[in-house]
Amino acid sequence: MSESTTKRVTSADVARLAGVSRATVSYVLNDTPRQTISAGTRTRVLDAAARLGYSPSAAARTLRTGRSDVVLCLLPDWPIGPEVGSMLGRLSSALTRHGLTLVVHPGNREERPMTELWKAITPAAVIAYTEFSEADITAMRSAGVAIVEAVSRRKGRSLAVPQELVGRRQAEHLTQAGHTRLGFAYPDDERVRFFAEPRLAGVRAACAGLRLPTPVGLTVPLDPAAAAEAVRRWRATGVTAVCAYNDEVALAVLAGVRGEGLTVPDDLAVIGVDDIPPARLADPPLTTVTTDQTVVGAHLAATVVAAISGRAAPDLPAADIVRVVRRVSA
């Protein structure tokens, strides 16, 4: 392989082709403020960079600014299902529009201390869905890293969609349809308790507000026989409709109903969460609750940009983006 095919293009190459100095190339490609560059010169530099396939070195930019354009997102040990995956995809796209790059690290802190992660990357900001220690916060702020706590009990607010609202939407839909005895299908995966507990709390709160009996909560594995047993227990206690933790658990409940020779929604109504593609293909098609992840991603990206800039975070219009998708099952 020849030297010409392996040599990395540099700003000096761009400068030679454009007929300008390397400093001018840097000013144009990094959009440096307070520099007077004519439109013609800017166009020559951009055209030369495009012809050579040149982009500024991320490492050089980090050395110059003291931090990268990376936003590090720290997730707990969650299964990355369709909803979390959709949120991360929308967040990544929204951050890209602000010139930022998303790096996601799933897992727990025992696998690798958080301090090692952010020191290795030197991010512009860190998003965390778990609580930071005061020592972590102090160390990151001292290093100039913006901190975005997606869930923060310390501040008494959450930047994430309140999962209680998701449960409320489920219960409200079922009670408005005339159901007065509800069940809740709880997942058998301990890793998703972060979502499941507040959703169940939302269902309970909606029932309490209507002076209805406390929902009958049962754990439903993704297994037809186990789901059929749960259906039998719900039927024995007078339950006529079930709020499932998510669509996958709801599909298990549908299988359990079929296994008992019953029909949905006549014998048992079912509502899920997430609106995954199989929900619309279920038999019968699954009624579910969905969240507009495009809005969630844009809001979180705006919060990150505000944190980097030292501005107040915008509010999330949660009530407007969580809605019921009405199909046949409930």
Side-chain angles (χ1 to χ4, degrees), residues 79-90:
I80 308 298
E83 193 76 348
V84 173
S86 176
M87 181 273 291
L88 293 174
R90 300 298 194 279

Side-chain angles (χ1 to χ4, degrees), residues 47-102:
D47 287 347
R51 286 176 58 188
L52 295 173
Y54 173 79
S55 62
S57 165
R61 184 167 58 249
T62 299
L63 287 173
R64 183 178 63 253
T65 63
R67 69 184 181 196
S68 70
D69 60 1
V70 167
V71 175
L72 175 61
C73 181
L74 300 172
L75 296 179
D77 184 20
W78 289 344
I80 308 298
E83 193 76 348
V84 173
S86 176
M87 181 273 291
L88 293 174
R90 300 298 194 279
L91 173 60
S92 179
S93 297
L95 287 172
T96 297
R97 290 191 287 273
H98 291 284
L100 298 168
T101 301
L102 180 67

Side-chain angles (χ1 to χ4, degrees), residues 110-183:
E110 286 70 32
E111 293 175 354
R112 186 176 184 184
M114 186 170 63
T115 302
E116 291 185 13
L117 289 171
W118 69 260
K119 283 185 176 179
I121 296 175
T122 320
V126 171
I127 305 171
Y129 283 84
T130 55
E131 290 286 328
F132 287 125
S133 70
E134 292 298 335
D136 288 331
I137 291 174
T138 300
M140 282 187 285
R141 284 179 176 162
S142 297
V145 178
I147 305 167
V148 175
E149 295 180 86
V151 285
S152 176
R153 297 178 182 86
R154 186 171 24 246
K155 296 179 181 178
R157 64 178 303 212
S158 172
L159 299 176
V161 173
Q163 297 302 308
E164 294 91 340
L165 177 60
V166 173
R168 279 184 175 275
R169 288 283 190 269
Q170 289 181 298
E172 289 166 356
H173 176 76
L174 294 177
T175 56
Q176 287 169 7
H179 297 283
T180 58
R181 188 72 166 123
L182 305 186

Side-chain angles (χ1 to χ4, degrees), residues 13 30 150 209 232:
D13 299 318
N30 292 297
R232 286 194 293 272

Side-chain angles (χ1 to χ4, degrees), residues 240-256:
T240 61
V242 171
C243 302
Y245 158 70
N246 68 2
D247 289 346
E248 290 182 345
V249 175
L251 293 175
V253 175
L254 293 185

